[in-house]
Amino acid sequence: MREERADVVIIGSGAGGGTVAKALAPLCREGARIVVLEWGPRLADEEFATPAAGRELTMARKLYVEAGGVLNAERTMTLAFGRGYGGSTVVYTGTSLIIPQATLARWGVPGLSWEDIARRSRIYMQENNVHFLDEDALNDNNTLFRDACEKLGYRVEQFPINVKGCKGSSLCNLGCPNAAKQGTNRVQLPAAEREGVEVITNCKALRIGEREVIARVANAPFGLPSPWPEGDVRVTARAVVVAAGAVNSPALLLRSRLPVSLPALGRYFTAHPALILVGEHERPITNFYGHPKSFYCDHFAETHGFLLETCMYFPFTTAKNLIGFGAEHSELMRRMDRMQMILVLAIDPALAENRVTVGPDGEPIVHYRFTDGVLDSLLESMKVSARIFFAAGARRVHAPAGERFFIEASEVDRLDERITRRRLVPGRISISSAHLMGGCRMGSDRETSVTDSWGQVHGVPWLFVADASLFPRAAEINPYITIMALADRVAERVRAYLEGARPS
Amino acid sequence: MQPASSADPYFPVVRPPPCESLRWQRRGGITGPMVHLSARTVAALDALARVIVPELDAADGDSWRRFHAVIDEALGDRPPRLRRQFAVFLGLVHVLAVARHGRPFARLAPEQQAALLMWLQDRAPSLLRKGFWGLKTLVFMGYYAQGEVAATLGYAPSFSGNERLHA
């Protein structure tokens, strides 16, 4: 087995790993060797320019684990998370929000203050050029949602997003073809590499030992080859930072022989379970032109436990989220240019039994069951969404828990009869998640948490976690900026640890 | 290098023999249009697909080849266990049709076909319901992920979408 030595090994290059890499990069000037191990490949810019029509599967296979179709053990929810240089920041829509104070208070992590998280969040929002799009860059899909929410008296806000030179491809979730989205692949990782950080792509961390990582380099059939030769490698380091995401970070720690017992490892997994609803308008609207996600409604977050966001998806993704088949399904699909879409996300509780385990092969298994509260939230969110669609002028709506495929505008006052709990059956409807959180939660109690408020693993001072698996509860917003803020804290602790630790 | 998990499409995987293990699938005895499903199982898939996506009824040979190729590739990315489960599910639909109506699914009247699938979607036991969801997902993938289909949907994306916002 090849041997490599480093001062810091960072596993993962997404929002967490990329942030830690850049934050620690100045240490390279002092002679430190910092290595990022990224499971997936780095794609050349021209690979993002795959033609727009028909790129859905091609890019999904390149950018997502299992092409975005990982299922939980119960086969009731699809999990979508990225893999590659930049991780999930390559495939999300770039919405960037500071976690609300009330949410952080609910997290209840001693030593974690909202003021600190907000301050760090703003640093990265500035670094990533987060801003509001101008009105003339907003498409109908978004403005119809905004205007309808305002008409109904629902609080609606514009998403600030991290783009530079956005040309409105609406293909954010398949990798921006215009290099406009400011993910870690465009900002933090290149900056870190300029300072001397090495990003080793196509390199999967297999397990962690005492101050070492055993990894395997195997080049993907696309993207650029790894800077290291193929084969197994042992990387010894003074500090190891795990930032492989809420599914793979707990899995990696579970299959590693850590010297401590961590009963909470893998547990308290949350996911913001989501559904898509579609409203059909009489005439074509602009929906797949322009940035797809400009507004959100958190009016019902505290009272009913759900958020609404604008969205626009691609043909296959849209088709599989409509519950039905045959003539009606085809009829709606042929009108993609008339579709208005809303993504509903439930704010789920952190339960010990919702967890990540590993199978005999060491690969992650996500065990997740929906609570009655989550299903109630999803049900109510569908009715609210239908009202929004009709207020926006839609002629009919498709709701996953609809008694019939279409709900007509004339039925707007009968939504309680038209959208029912008996139709909201896991396994029948398409529930998905792209906000994967928990599994290595922060806290002070070693029985119910894995790390302290600085991401340092309890009882293992050289081991850190720096991604959404730190979240003790759901973020209640898009988690991206919060991940970066927490990762920034972790980097600070790693630096302090290195300065205080004896040389290896 | 040790072989990596066969569930990971990134790693070189030796493709398994094309036919699954169930005896009834081997009765066909001919090679079919897909690597991961027998000819008989593909026929069962196609009969279901025509009901799920009616456009497939009028699709030409090229469209069907693309349909099969997309699904075949997706099945190839999955572990053998899941491929077997899928083939078993297709067989179960055949059995259900015979049990209910005395005829295989492909020979049922359109309303009988639709009713059986609707039962699978809405009222079947959990395992069958999830199996049907998986079937629909694959069929939709095979059809709607084709770039050639986009124009028929009114879907015409552009890398420079902003230029068309106010056109």
Side-chain angles (χ1 to χ4, degrees):
Chain A
M1 190 184 298
R2 278 185 54 241
E3 305 273 345
E4 294 278 352
R5 294 176 69 91
D7 290 276
V8 182
V9 171
I10 303 166
I11 300 168
S13 67
T19 299
V20 173
K22 179 174 179 287
L24 294 180
L27 294 176
C28 294
R29 283 184 240 132
E30 300 165 21
R33 187 182 187 201
I34 299 174
V35 171
V36 177
L37 306 182
E38 165 52 53
W39 185 8
R42 177 192 301 214
L43 265 57
D45 278 351
E46 52 267 27
E47 288 185 87
F48 287 100
T50 300
R55 95 192 242 124
E56 191 172 358
L57 283 189
T58 304
M59 296 309 293
R61 289 168 62 87
K62 288 185 177 182
L63 297 174
Y64 290 85
V65 175
E66 293 187 26
V70 175
L71 285 173
N72 63 332
E74 295 77 10
R75 310 262 186 107
T76 54
M77 184 165 64
T78 306
L79 312 176
F81 48 106
R83 173 174 55 190
Y85 182 92
S88 292
T89 69
V90 176
V91 294
Y92 82 129
T93 31
T95 56
S96 305
L97 295 172
I98 299 175
I99 192 168
Q101 260 181 296
T103 306
L104 206 72
R106 281 190 279 272
W107 279 16
V109 176
L112 190 69
S113 80
W114 181 80
E115 287 74 20
D116 183 55
I117 292 297
R119 176 184 65 81
R120 295 174 195 264
S121 295
R122 288 187 198 104
I123 291 170
Y124 290 97
M125 290 168 81
Q126 182 168 23
E127 198 165 284
N128 297 347
N129 200 48
V130 171
H131 64 284
F132 294 112
L133 294 179
D134 292 335
E135 180 73 19
D136 63 1
L138 304 176
N139 64 21
D140 294 333
N141 188 46
N142 283 288
T143 56
L144 285 169
F145 176 87
R146 175 196 60 195
D147 297 345
C149 284
E150 288 175 349
K151 185 172 162 186
L152 292 167
Y154 301 159
R155 184 173 61 245
V156 59
E157 303 283 352
Q158 187 172 356
F159 272 125
I161 55 171
N162 66 337
V163 292
K164 193 181 283 185
C166 177
K167 296 182 182 174
S169 72
S170 199
L171 298 169
C172 317
N173 297 136
L174 298 177
C176 179
N178 300 311
K181 184 165 54 180
Q182 303 296 286
T184 59
N185 60 319
R186 298 285 175 201
V187 184
Q188 285 75 28
L189 291 171
E193 289 179 294
R194 283 193 293 273
E195 298 237 44
V197 171
E198 298 164 63
V199 181
I200 311 304
T201 51
N202 291 304
C203 184
K204 181 178 182 178
L206 300 179
R207 63 184 182 277
I208 293 170
E210 175 75 23
R211 290 185 175 82
E212 68 177 26
V213 179
I214 307 298
R216 176 168 296 155
V217 178
N219 288 317
F222 46 83
L224 302 171
S226 177
W228 285 359
E230 293 192 316
D232 288 2
V233 56
R234 173 183 286 112
V235 187
T236 53
R238 297 168 59 203
V240 176
V241 181
V242 179
V247 172
N248 283 293
S249 284
L252 174 59
L253 296 182
L254 283 166
R255 62 177 182 257
S256 304
R257 291 206 190 99
L258 298 181
V260 294
S261 167
L262 295 166
L265 182 56
R267 295 187 182 272
Y268 305 102
F269 180 88
T270 53
H272 288 166
L275 292 168
I276 297 169
L277 287 94
V278 174
E280 181 196 328
H281 288 266
E282 294 280 359
R283 289 181 298 277
I285 63 170
T286 52
N287 48 16
F288 48 77
Y289 300 135
H291 192 276
K293 195 179 284 288
S294 297
F295 290 97
Y296 68 99
C297 170
D298 63 355
H299 186 89
F300 301 90
E302 297 284 338
T303 54
H304 291 81
F306 65 84
L307 303 163
L308 306 176
E309 299 181 352
T310 52
C311 65
M312 184 64 198
Y313 292 107
F314 323 102
F316 161 55
T317 303
T318 302
K320 71 173 178 161
N321 279 283
L322 304 178
I323 309 309
F325 55 89
E328 284 181 318
H329 185 282
S330 291
E331 182 186 335
L332 182 56
M333 283 302 299
R334 283 197 298 272
R335 292 163 180 251
M336 280 201 74
D337 58 344
R338 290 167 162 78
M339 284 183 183
Q340 183 187 352
M341 288 192 198
I342 294 176
L343 181 73
V344 308
L345 302 97
I347 298 167
D348 49 336
L351 304 176
E353 56 265 35
N354 283 345
R355 58 189 297 210
V356 176
T357 62
V358 290
D361 58 357
E363 293 304 310
I365 301 170
V366 177
H367 306 266
Y368 187 96
R369 291 189 186 275
F370 304 103
T371 63
D372 284 341
V374 164
L375 294 176
D376 287 341
S377 294
L378 289 174
L379 183 68
E380 187 61 26
S381 72
M382 284 189 257
K383 296 176 192 174
V384 169
S385 297
R387 283 190 211 109
I388 292 171
F389 283 131
F390 291 133
R395 61 184 278 247
R396 52 189 183 178
V397 167
H398 174 81
E403 284 288 328
R404 295 195 297 264
F405 190 85
F406 287 115
I407 303 168
E408 303 292 332
S410 58
E411 299 175 295
V412 64
D413 293 325
R414 301 174 64 187
L415 293 177
D416 285 341
E417 301 164 34
R418 293 292 179 254
I419 301 174
T420 61
R421 183 65 184 269
R422 78 184 188 112
R423 294 293 193 192
L424 184 50
V425 180
R428 171 183 180 269
I429 56 176
S430 294
I431 299 178
S432 63
S433 170
H435 295 174
L436 311 176
M437 303 164 282
C440 300
R441 71 192 314 206
M442 294 184 294
S444 54
D445 181 350
R446 294 187 176 202
E447 291 298 309
T448 59
S449 63
V450 174
T451 81
D452 64 13
S453 67
W454 295 88
Q456 197 164 22
V457 174
H458 296 310
V460 191
W462 51 266
L463 184 59
F464 302 82
V465 176
D467 59 27
S469 67
L470 287 172
F471 291 20
R473 297 169 57 122
E476 304 178 14
I477 55 159
N478 182 291
Y480 155 67
I481 285 292
T482 307
I483 296 169
M484 299 188 88
L486 288 174
D488 191 69
R489 280 173 63 88
V490 175
E492 194 174 308
R493 173 58 68 85
V494 171
R495 184 190 277 261
Y497 169 75
L498 291 173
E499 288 166 357
R502 291 193 299 274
S504 59
Chain B
M1 186 178 78
Q2 297 295 320
S5 162
S6 63
D8 194 316
Y10 279 39
F11 290 83
V13 172
V14 174
R15 295 221 182 256
C19 290
E20 300 303 327
S21 61
L22 289 183
R23 194 185 308 161
W24 75 274
Q25 294 181 44
R26 294 187 184 282
R27 284 193 207 126
I30 54 174
T31 55
M34 294 175 67
V35 171
H36 294 101
L37 294 178
S38 69
R40 191 181 183 96
T41 308
V42 171
L45 167 66
D46 290 354
L48 289 159
R50 284 188 169 90
V51 180
I52 294 169
V53 180
E55 287 89 338
L56 282 168
D57 229 5
D60 60 19
D62 283 341
S63 186
W64 275 106
R65 269 188 286 280
R66 288 190 295 266
F67 174 79
H68 290 136
V70 168
I71 295 177
D72 217 6
E73 189 168 39
L75 288 173
D77 290 345
R78 293 288 183 255
R81 171 180 55 84
L82 286 181
R83 291 198 288 270
R84 282 192 294 273
Q85 287 175 4
F86 182 64
V88 165
F89 177 79
L90 293 177
L92 272 172
V93 178
H94 165 86
V95 168
L96 276 169
V98 172
R100 282 190 172 201
H101 302 290
R103 293 192 299 283
F105 184 86
R107 284 168 37 204
L108 295 182
E111 56 273 15
Q112 289 174 321
Q113 291 177 327
L116 179 55
L117 296 191
M118 198 62 79
W119 177 82
L120 281 170
Q121 175 182 276
D122 291 344
R123 291 186 294 281
S126 172
L127 209 55
L128 290 180
R129 206 168 55 232
K130 292 172 188 175
F132 182 64
W133 181 89
L135 166 64
K136 270 200 308 173
T137 299
L138 279 175
V139 170
F140 289 147
M141 181 191 295
Y143 183 73
Y144 287 107
Q146 296 183 42
E148 292 80 356
V149 168
T152 68
L153 309 176
Y155 179 70
S158 165
F159 288 178
S160 303
N162 283 349
E163 293 174 4
R164 307 196 185 196
L165 277 181
H166 307 291

